[in-house]
Amino acid sequence: MHFKLIIAFVEDDKTDLVLETSREYGATGSTVINNARGEGLETSKTFFGLTLESQRDVLLFLVEEHLSRTILEAISKVAEFDSKPGTGIAFQIDVEDAIGVMHQVEKLTPIVEEKL
């Protein structure tokens, strides 16, 4: 079984929604890194030296490659990445090898076989 790593930078108030959506579309788990900071096209505004930007969370999903695009698109839709500028970004990268995922392989094998 081959995996992809989906990395999503989302506004912290949308983290739970993105996590729930990813599970609905086949993700079997995730890792959340809180309080990340990023900059987009426009620099953040400041007020008396304090940055006026919302906090971001980084979400990591190790997902089966046949499910990855569907999960990525669902995340993008619920987090409004393409409809509202500055709301976040998500992308996927190939995973060459993974260890400690046998429980995922056992659960995902029937799901992936159905889709193929």
Side-chain angles (χ1 to χ4, degrees), residues 30-57:
S30 65
T31 298
V32 179
I33 302 170
N34 298 106
N35 299 323
R37 196 188 105 196
E39 280 193 24
L41 222 51
E42 304 288 326
T43 57
S44 302
K45 300 198 183 333
T46 60
F47 181 73
F48 292 118
L50 300 173
T51 307
L52 301 174
E53 63 183 19
S54 63
Q55 288 295 320
R56 304 251 184 261
D57 289 337

mmCIF file of all heavy atoms in Angstrom, residues 30-57:
data_model
loop_
_atom_site.group_PDB
_atom_site.id
_atom_site.type_symbol
_atom_site.label_atom_id
_atom_site.label_comp_id
_atom_site.label_asym_id
_atom_site.label_seq_id
_atom_site.Cartn_x
_atom_site.Cartn_y
_atom_site.Cartn_z
ATOM 1 N N SER A 30 -4.726 11.814 12.316
ATOM 2 C CA SER A 30 -4.006 13.043 11.972
ATOM 3 C C SER A 30 -3.120 13.456 13.136
ATOM 4 O O SER A 30 -3.253 12.973 14.248
ATOM 5 C CB SER A 30 -4.982 14.165 11.649
ATOM 6 O OG SER A 30 -5.734 14.492 12.797
ATOM 7 N N THR A 31 -2.234 14.377 12.831
ATOM 8 C CA THR A 31 -1.413 15.028 13.844
ATOM 9 C C THR A 31 -1.670 16.520 13.721
ATOM 10 O O THR A 31 -1.662 17.067 12.614
ATOM 11 C CB THR A 31 0.085 14.737 13.625
ATOM 12 O OG1 THR A 31 0.293 13.325 13.738
ATOM 13 C CG2 THR A 31 0.942 15.471 14.636
ATOM 14 N N VAL A 32 -1.903 17.186 14.841
ATOM 15 C CA VAL A 32 -2.183 18.621 14.848
ATOM 16 C C VAL A 32 -1.048 19.346 15.557
ATOM 17 O O VAL A 32 -0.694 19.002 16.678
ATOM 18 C CB VAL A 32 -3.521 18.929 15.564
ATOM 19 C CG1 VAL A 32 -3.783 20.423 15.592
ATOM 20 C CG2 VAL A 32 -4.671 18.179 14.915
ATOM 21 N N ILE A 33 -0.499 20.327 14.878
ATOM 22 C CA ILE A 33 0.514 21.201 15.473
ATOM 23 C C ILE A 33 -0.147 22.563 15.647
ATOM 24 O O ILE A 33 -0.543 23.191 14.661
ATOM 25 C CB ILE A 33 1.765 21.303 14.575
ATOM 26 C CG1 ILE A 33 2.350 19.917 14.337
ATOM 27 C CG2 ILE A 33 2.794 22.247 15.205
ATOM 28 C CD1 ILE A 33 3.436 19.870 13.277
ATOM 29 N N ASN A 34 -0.285 22.997 16.883
ATOM 30 C CA ASN A 34 -0.979 24.254 17.178
ATOM 31 C C ASN A 34 -0.078 25.470 17.067
ATOM 32 O O ASN A 34 1.134 25.375 17.208
ATOM 33 C CB ASN A 34 -1.562 24.219 18.598
ATOM 34 C CG ASN A 34 -2.573 23.122 18.760
ATOM 35 O OD1 ASN A 34 -2.298 22.111 19.381
ATOM 36 N ND2 ASN A 34 -3.734 23.309 18.193
ATOM 37 N N ASN A 35 -0.706 26.601 16.854
ATOM 38 C CA ASN A 35 -0.077 27.923 16.908
ATOM 39 C C ASN A 35 1.071 28.114 15.925
ATOM 40 O O ASN A 35 2.133 28.621 16.272
ATOM 41 C CB ASN A 35 0.405 28.243 18.324
ATOM 42 C CG ASN A 35 -0.750 28.262 19.309
ATOM 43 O OD1 ASN A 35 -1.842 28.708 18.978
ATOM 44 N ND2 ASN A 35 -0.510 27.773 20.494
ATOM 45 N N ALA A 36 0.845 27.722 14.690
ATOM 46 C CA ALA A 36 1.824 27.993 13.645
ATOM 47 C C ALA A 36 1.578 29.405 13.119
ATOM 48 O O ALA A 36 0.478 29.941 13.229
ATOM 49 C CB ALA A 36 1.676 26.980 12.517
ATOM 50 N N ARG A 37 2.600 29.996 12.560
ATOM 51 C CA ARG A 37 2.454 31.331 12.006
ATOM 52 C C ARG A 37 2.927 31.308 10.570
ATOM 53 O O ARG A 37 3.925 30.699 10.240
ATOM 54 C CB ARG A 37 3.306 32.318 12.795
ATOM 55 C CG ARG A 37 2.911 33.758 12.537
ATOM 56 C CD ARG A 37 3.866 34.704 13.169
ATOM 57 N NE ARG A 37 4.645 35.213 12.031
ATOM 58 C CZ ARG A 37 5.786 35.833 12.133
ATOM 59 N NH1 ARG A 37 6.340 36.007 13.284
ATOM 60 N NH2 ARG A 37 6.401 36.277 11.075
ATOM 61 N N GLY A 38 2.196 31.970 9.701
ATOM 62 C CA GLY A 38 2.582 32.016 8.302
ATOM 63 C C GLY A 38 2.295 33.377 7.715
ATOM 64 O O GLY A 38 1.583 34.183 8.298
ATOM 65 N N GLU A 39 2.874 33.620 6.563
ATOM 66 C CA GLU A 39 2.619 34.859 5.848
ATOM 67 C C GLU A 39 2.235 34.532 4.431
ATOM 68 O O GLU A 39 2.796 33.638 3.816
ATOM 69 C CB GLU A 39 3.868 35.745 5.833
ATOM 70 C CG GLU A 39 4.067 36.502 7.110
ATOM 71 C CD GLU A 39 5.106 37.595 6.972
ATOM 72 O OE1 GLU A 39 5.346 38.072 5.839
ATOM 73 O OE2 GLU A 39 5.670 37.968 7.993
ATOM 74 N N GLY A 40 1.284 35.265 3.909
ATOM 75 C CA GLY A 40 0.844 35.072 2.546
ATOM 76 C C GLY A 40 1.319 36.207 1.659
ATOM 77 O O GLY A 40 2.352 36.834 1.914
ATOM 78 N N LEU A 41 0.544 36.480 0.640
ATOM 79 C CA LEU A 41 0.855 37.529 -0.319
ATOM 80 C C LEU A 41 0.962 38.891 0.352
ATOM 81 O O LEU A 41 1.847 39.683 0.060
ATOM 82 C CB LEU A 41 -0.256 37.567 -1.370
ATOM 83 C CG LEU A 41 0.128 37.738 -2.814
ATOM 84 C CD1 LEU A 41 1.175 36.758 -3.245
ATOM 85 C CD2 LEU A 41 -1.091 37.647 -3.700
ATOM 86 N N GLU A 42 0.050 39.136 1.250
ATOM 87 C CA GLU A 42 0.025 40.402 1.984
ATOM 88 C C GLU A 42 0.626 40.198 3.372
ATOM 89 O O GLU A 42 0.359 39.199 4.024
ATOM 90 C CB GLU A 42 -1.421 40.898 2.142
ATOM 91 C CG GLU A 42 -2.185 41.049 0.842
ATOM 92 C CD GLU A 42 -1.715 42.223 0.033
ATOM 93 O OE1 GLU A 42 -1.322 43.246 0.638
ATOM 94 O OE2 GLU A 42 -1.713 42.123 -1.208
ATOM 95 N N THR A 43 1.433 41.151 3.824
ATOM 96 C CA THR A 43 1.976 41.052 5.177
ATOM 97 C C THR A 43 0.888 41.386 6.190
ATOM 98 O O THR A 43 -0.048 42.128 5.897
ATOM 99 C CB THR A 43 3.178 41.993 5.375
ATOM 100 O OG1 THR A 43 2.765 43.331 5.081
ATOM 101 C CG2 THR A 43 4.323 41.597 4.465
ATOM 102 N N SER A 44 1.027 40.847 7.368
ATOM 103 C CA SER A 44 0.032 41.051 8.412
ATOM 104 C C SER A 44 0.065 42.482 8.919
ATOM 105 O O SER A 44 1.106 43.118 8.982
ATOM 106 C CB SER A 44 0.300 40.111 9.582
ATOM 107 O OG SER A 44 0.277 38.792 9.149
ATOM 108 N N LYS A 45 -1.099 42.950 9.307
ATOM 109 C CA LYS A 45 -1.201 44.284 9.881
ATOM 110 C C LYS A 45 -0.787 44.239 11.349
ATOM 111 O O LYS A 45 -0.967 43.238 12.022
ATOM 112 C CB LYS A 45 -2.634 44.790 9.748
ATOM 113 C CG LYS A 45 -3.102 44.880 8.299
ATOM 114 C CD LYS A 45 -4.304 45.761 8.197
ATOM 115 C CE LYS A 45 -4.898 45.877 6.834
ATOM 116 N NZ LYS A 45 -4.154 45.719 5.694
ATOM 117 N N THR A 46 -0.244 45.325 11.814
ATOM 118 C CA THR A 46 0.144 45.389 13.223
ATOM 119 C C THR A 46 -0.533 46.586 13.885
ATOM 120 O O THR A 46 -0.925 47.548 13.234
ATOM 121 C CB THR A 46 1.673 45.527 13.375
ATOM 122 O OG1 THR A 46 2.097 46.730 12.732
ATOM 123 C CG2 THR A 46 2.394 44.347 12.776
ATOM 124 N N PHE A 47 -0.662 46.483 15.193
ATOM 125 C CA PHE A 47 -1.244 47.550 15.999
ATOM 126 C C PHE A 47 -0.376 47.680 17.237
ATOM 127 O O PHE A 47 -0.317 46.754 18.053
ATOM 128 C CB PHE A 47 -2.696 47.182 16.364
ATOM 129 C CG PHE A 47 -3.398 48.231 17.172
ATOM 130 C CD1 PHE A 47 -3.813 49.414 16.577
ATOM 131 C CD2 PHE A 47 -3.628 48.031 18.515
ATOM 132 C CE1 PHE A 47 -4.470 50.374 17.332
ATOM 133 C CE2 PHE A 47 -4.283 48.988 19.272
ATOM 134 C CZ PHE A 47 -4.708 50.166 18.669
ATOM 135 N N PHE A 48 0.339 48.776 17.343
ATOM 136 C CA PHE A 48 1.280 48.988 18.439
ATOM 137 C C PHE A 48 2.271 47.827 18.576
ATOM 138 O O PHE A 48 2.575 47.366 19.670
ATOM 139 C CB PHE A 48 0.550 49.208 19.778
ATOM 140 C CG PHE A 48 -0.225 50.491 19.839
ATOM 141 C CD1 PHE A 48 -1.596 50.466 20.007
ATOM 142 C CD2 PHE A 48 0.419 51.710 19.727
ATOM 143 C CE1 PHE A 48 -2.314 51.646 20.070
ATOM 144 C CE2 PHE A 48 -0.303 52.889 19.787
ATOM 145 C CZ PHE A 48 -1.671 52.870 19.952
ATOM 146 N N GLY A 49 2.726 47.351 17.434
ATOM 147 C CA GLY A 49 3.724 46.283 17.435
ATOM 148 C C GLY A 49 3.180 44.880 17.587
ATOM 149 O O GLY A 49 3.919 43.908 17.552
ATOM 150 N N LEU A 50 1.873 44.743 17.780
ATOM 151 C CA LEU A 50 1.254 43.422 17.900
ATOM 152 C C LEU A 50 0.659 43.020 16.562
ATOM 153 O O LEU A 50 -0.012 43.815 15.917
ATOM 154 C CB LEU A 50 0.155 43.428 18.969
ATOM 155 C CG LEU A 50 0.603 43.796 20.372
ATOM 156 C CD1 LEU A 50 -0.617 43.917 21.285
ATOM 157 C CD2 LEU A 50 1.551 42.745 20.907
ATOM 158 N N THR A 51 0.887 41.810 16.159
ATOM 159 C CA THR A 51 0.359 41.323 14.891
ATOM 160 C C THR A 51 -1.114 40.988 15.033
ATOM 161 O O THR A 51 -1.526 40.324 15.984
ATOM 162 C CB THR A 51 1.132 40.068 14.436
ATOM 163 O OG1 THR A 51 2.518 40.371 14.435
ATOM 164 C CG2 THR A 51 0.720 39.634 13.050
ATOM 165 N N LEU A 52 -1.909 41.440 14.079
ATOM 166 C CA LEU A 52 -3.347 41.186 14.096
ATOM 167 C C LEU A 52 -3.670 40.069 13.098
ATOM 168 O O LEU A 52 -4.217 40.291 12.044
ATOM 169 C CB LEU A 52 -4.119 42.455 13.710
ATOM 170 C CG LEU A 52 -3.881 43.665 14.601
ATOM 171 C CD1 LEU A 52 -4.582 44.878 14.039
ATOM 172 C CD2 LEU A 52 -4.358 43.379 16.006
ATOM 173 N N GLU A 53 -3.325 38.872 13.445
ATOM 174 C CA GLU A 53 -3.608 37.741 12.569
ATOM 175 C C GLU A 53 -4.112 36.582 13.408
ATOM 176 O O GLU A 53 -3.795 36.456 14.590
ATOM 177 C CB GLU A 53 -2.362 37.324 11.783
ATOM 178 C CG GLU A 53 -1.238 36.847 12.656
ATOM 179 C CD GLU A 53 0.018 36.513 11.865
ATOM 180 O OE1 GLU A 53 0.159 36.950 10.743
ATOM 181 O OE2 GLU A 53 0.854 35.796 12.445
ATOM 182 N N SER A 54 -4.933 35.762 12.780
ATOM 183 C CA SER A 54 -5.436 34.597 13.511
ATOM 184 C C SER A 54 -4.365 33.511 13.537
ATOM 185 O O SER A 54 -3.519 33.440 12.658
ATOM 186 C CB SER A 54 -6.712 34.071 12.846
ATOM 187 O OG SER A 54 -6.440 33.630 11.544
ATOM 188 N N GLN A 55 -4.426 32.703 14.553
ATOM 189 C CA GLN A 55 -3.493 31.594 14.669
ATOM 190 C C GLN A 55 -3.835 30.524 13.649
ATOM 191 O O GLN A 55 -4.977 30.384 13.232
ATOM 192 C CB GLN A 55 -3.539 30.994 16.071
ATOM 193 C CG GLN A 55 -2.917 31.871 17.124
ATOM 194 C CD GLN A 55 -1.429 32.046 16.906
ATOM 195 O OE1 GLN A 55 -0.726 31.131 16.543
ATOM 196 N NE2 GLN A 55 -0.947 33.254 17.125
ATOM 197 N N ARG A 56 -2.855 29.778 13.263
ATOM 198 C CA ARG A 56 -3.024 28.673 12.324
ATOM 199 C C ARG A 56 -2.630 27.374 13.023
ATOM 200 O O ARG A 56 -1.828 27.366 13.941
ATOM 201 C CB ARG A 56 -2.110 28.841 11.108
ATOM 202 C CG ARG A 56 -2.291 30.132 10.391
ATOM 203 C CD ARG A 56 -2.955 29.876 9.062
ATOM 204 N NE ARG A 56 -3.054 31.108 8.298
ATOM 205 C CZ ARG A 56 -4.137 31.834 8.230
ATOM 206 N NH1 ARG A 56 -5.185 31.490 8.917
ATOM 207 N NH2 ARG A 56 -4.188 32.917 7.495
ATOM 208 N N ASP A 57 -3.209 26.311 12.547
ATOM 209 C CA ASP A 57 -2.803 24.980 12.968
ATOM 210 C C ASP A 57 -2.262 24.263 11.740
ATOM 211 O O ASP A 57 -2.726 24.493 10.620
ATOM 212 C CB ASP A 57 -3.983 24.187 13.535
ATOM 213 C CG ASP A 57 -4.449 24.712 14.888
ATOM 214 O OD1 ASP A 57 -3.639 25.365 15.585
ATOM 215 O OD2 ASP A 57 -5.609 24.464 15.243
#
